[in-house]
């Protein structure tokens, strides 16, 4: 036994600090005491220490991660599928602090409710949308449309697994990048004539271990985790068989009556001789389509609503739907004000790290006849940096390749910020800067543009890439700028940071007023 303990300690010291913290939390939660189980811990530590370079992105990384999670599940009990999805967010199959939060949230709810049923979120995202082609992955306020609801589902912590049902490779790739598992629907339920219920029934049939399905509409970007948390309690605590979201409307409705070619009408919910004022009328409950919880028994019988049934009322500002192109700009403004931007608190961002080449510039270096190096910068980007500095956000530029000292000095002077050159390992350098400044990842914003930036994009509290960045970077950013590198991307991200800080400050003030009132 003593030899085993020394072996574990040795392996423990070989791990990076972040992995060590991860295993410490999981070991404390597991509380395994037998020699055989400690032996398995040692084997897992050894595996992770020796195989540190196998945390890959893309399909290969997903396969590697699933194998490791399967082994860890054997040791630490039946971890939820939601944990795996959360840990694989943005294609990097690497555990982080957010995934640990998903673990604790899901387990806490189940412990409190004594409900051991598997509850899955299912987001339908067919590739053949007629109104707006591939609208499910079109960018809305810098995030793929489907990313808004995936993030809300994962951060709610109430699901054992989060799935996207699709027939399209690109949608599947985006879904995995944002942390969801993918259900490849069959051609039979991918037709224009196929209903949502057909697809849900197929998913239920192929996943018999799922007891409750929550169908979340991909086009509801103002869905928040607290909506799902409150709704799922109707299932787990109140014993409901189905719960669906509604919004209260105050619309006077009329029914069309066709009679021998004459188009007539008659009132449905009003008396024209005695029209009620809005304040005198409670209005009507209308489905807003954000989500539908239903047991597998109901789904099997071709129903999403039935049995012991309950509605969940959402506010009008959170009831957003996108069907046609004209809905898009309205939805974008709404989501910027009322959308859910993740667990990280943007009001605490104190440092922006930005790539010089490929973010501030377009990546090109011009050489004059005198062999002098020149680059092009946008004055809007310079103004964006000034805006951040006024709000006490420090800005540092990072450059992987060395540039002429005279040029670097001129740029540093022009942009009024520090430029770090010849940075080969960006993650290591960023961690050094964070240690010097006494900062945590949630206090860091990162603007990158390529594969070397992936880990920083994943870990930073706020992260972004220009719209012309390679796919490997696009899949790991939390915000995708509409502007290209060297053409206003820095200014756009600066405005995004300040908008979120303003929104968070406003929310904190509202919360303070509420606390003082009650």
């Amino acid at each position: 036994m003593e030899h085993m303990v020394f072996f574990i300690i040795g392996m423990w010291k070989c791990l990076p600090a972040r992995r060590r913290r991860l295993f410490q939390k999981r070991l404390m939660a597991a509380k395994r005491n037998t020699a055989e189980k400690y032996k398995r811990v040692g084997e897992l530590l050894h595996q992770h220490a020796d195989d540190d370079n196998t945390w890959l992105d893309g399909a290969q990384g997903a396969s590697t991660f699933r194998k490791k999670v399967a082994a860890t599940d054997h040791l630490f009990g039946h971890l939820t599928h939601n944990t795996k999805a959360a840990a694989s967010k943005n294609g990097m199959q690497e555990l982080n602090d957010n995934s640990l939060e998903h673990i604790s949230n899901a387990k806490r709810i189940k412990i409190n409710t004594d409900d051991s049923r598997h509850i899955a979120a299912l987001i339908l995202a067919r590739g053949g949308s007629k109104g707006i082609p591939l609208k499910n992955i079109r960018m809305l306020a810098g995030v793929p449309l489907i990313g808004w609801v995936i993030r809300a589902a994962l951060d709610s912590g109430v699901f054992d697994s989060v799935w996207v049902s699709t027939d399209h490779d690109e949608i599947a790739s985006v879904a995995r990048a944002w942390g969801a598992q993918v259900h490849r629907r069959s051609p039979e339920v991918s037709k224009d004539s196929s209903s949502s219920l057909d697809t849900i029934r197929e998913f239920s049939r192929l996943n018999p271990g799922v007891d409750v399905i929550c169908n979340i509409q991909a086009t509801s970007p103002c869905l928040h985790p607290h909506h799902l948390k409150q709704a799922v309690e109707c299932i787990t605590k109140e014993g409901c068989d189905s719960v669906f979201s509604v919004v209260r409307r105050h619309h006077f409705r009329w029914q069309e009556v066709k009679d021998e070619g004459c188009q007539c009408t008659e009132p449905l919910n009003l008396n024209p001789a005695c029209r009620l004022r809005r304040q005198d009328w409670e209005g009507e409950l209308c489905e807003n389509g954000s989500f539908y919880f239903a047991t597998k028994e109901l789904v099997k019988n071709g129903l999403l609503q039935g049995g012991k049934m309950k509605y969940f009322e959402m506010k009008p500002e959170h009831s957003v739907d996108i069907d046609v192109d004209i809905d898009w700009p309205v939805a974008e403004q709404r989501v910027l004000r009322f959308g859910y931007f993740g667990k990280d608190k943007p009001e605490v961002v104190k440092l922006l790290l930005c790539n010089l080449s490929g973010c501030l510039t377009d990546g090109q270096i011009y050489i004059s006849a005198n062999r002098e190096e020149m680059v092009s910068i946008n004055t809007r980007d310079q103004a964006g940096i000034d805006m951040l500095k006024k709000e006490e956000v420090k800005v540092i530029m990072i450059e992987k390749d060395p540039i002429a000292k005279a040029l670097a000095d001129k740029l540093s002077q022009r942009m009024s910020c520090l430029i770090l050159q010849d940075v080969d390992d960006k993650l290591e350098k960023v961690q050094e800067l964070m240690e010097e400044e006494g900062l945590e990842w949630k206090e860091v914003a990162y603007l990158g543009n390529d594969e070397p930036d992936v880990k920083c994009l994943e870990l930073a509290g706020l992260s972004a890439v220009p719209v012309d960045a390679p796919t490997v970077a696009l899949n790991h950013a939390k915000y995708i700028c509409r502007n290209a590198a060297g053409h206003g991307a820095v200014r756009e991200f600066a405005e995004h940071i300040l908008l979120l800080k303003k929104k968070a400050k406003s929310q904190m003030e509202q919360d303070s007023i509420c606390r003082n009132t009650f």
Side-chain angles (χ1 to χ4, degrees), residues 327-339:
D327 296 332
W328 209 268
V330 176
E332 190 154 43
Q333 291 303 312
R334 186 80 69 83
V335 79
L336 285 172
R337 185 173 180 184
F338 300 110

Side-chain angles (χ1 to χ4, degrees), residues 4-185:
M4 186 58 63
V5 171
F6 285 122
F7 171 72
I8 293 172
I9 293 173
M11 289 298 97
W12 182 267
K13 291 181 178 180
C14 293
L15 291 177
R18 186 158 49 86
R19 293 265 179 79
R20 199 179 303 166
R21 289 195 298 272
L22 165 65
F23 273 92
Q24 186 176 16
K25 290 180 180 179
R26 298 183 79 173
L27 284 169
M28 289 175 65
K31 295 182 179 178
R32 302 291 184 137
N33 298 318
T34 66
E36 181 62 30
K37 289 168 185 175
Y38 273 116
K39 179 181 179 181
R40 184 64 185 130
V41 174
E43 291 173 354
L44 271 175
L45 292 171
H46 191 278
Q47 177 186 2
H48 284 274
D50 289 347
D51 201 20
D52 190 54
N53 294 323
T54 61
W55 300 87
L56 309 173
D57 58 340
Q60 184 181 359
S63 175
T64 302
F65 179 73
R66 279 193 293 269
K67 291 177 182 177
K68 293 193 174 188
V69 169
T72 310
D73 282 356
H74 178 74
L75 171 64
F76 295 105
H78 301 289
L79 292 177
T80 65
H81 292 289
N82 180 47
T83 302
K84 303 172 191 177
S88 63
K89 183 179 184 300
N90 289 349
M92 283 295 293
Q93 314 306 323
E94 183 172 6
L95 291 169
N96 52 39
D97 290 341
N98 286 339
S99 65
L100 291 173
E101 291 176 3
H102 297 319
I103 294 172
S104 60
N105 286 344
K107 284 189 173 296
R108 187 181 304 117
I109 288 173
K110 290 193 173 296
I111 290 172
N112 289 343
T113 61
D114 294 325
D115 193 329
S116 60
R117 290 178 295 177
H118 184 114
I119 303 176
L122 179 64
I123 303 159
L124 307 184
R126 190 169 66 94
S129 173
K130 299 300 181 184
I132 307 175
L134 290 180
K135 69 177 178 181
N136 293 310
I137 55 174
R138 181 174 169 179
M139 290 297 158
L140 179 72
V143 174
L145 179 58
I146 199 173
W148 291 100
V149 292
I150 292 175
R151 178 162 58 191
L154 289 173
D155 286 357
S156 72
V158 300
F159 297 109
D160 297 297
S161 57
V162 176
W163 299 79
V164 169
S165 172
T166 187
D167 60 337
H168 196 278
D169 290 341
E170 193 172 353
I171 294 176
S173 177
V174 172
R176 290 191 184 96
W178 279 84
Q181 300 180 67
V182 173
H183 165 68
R184 293 306 296 244
R185 63 171 70 178

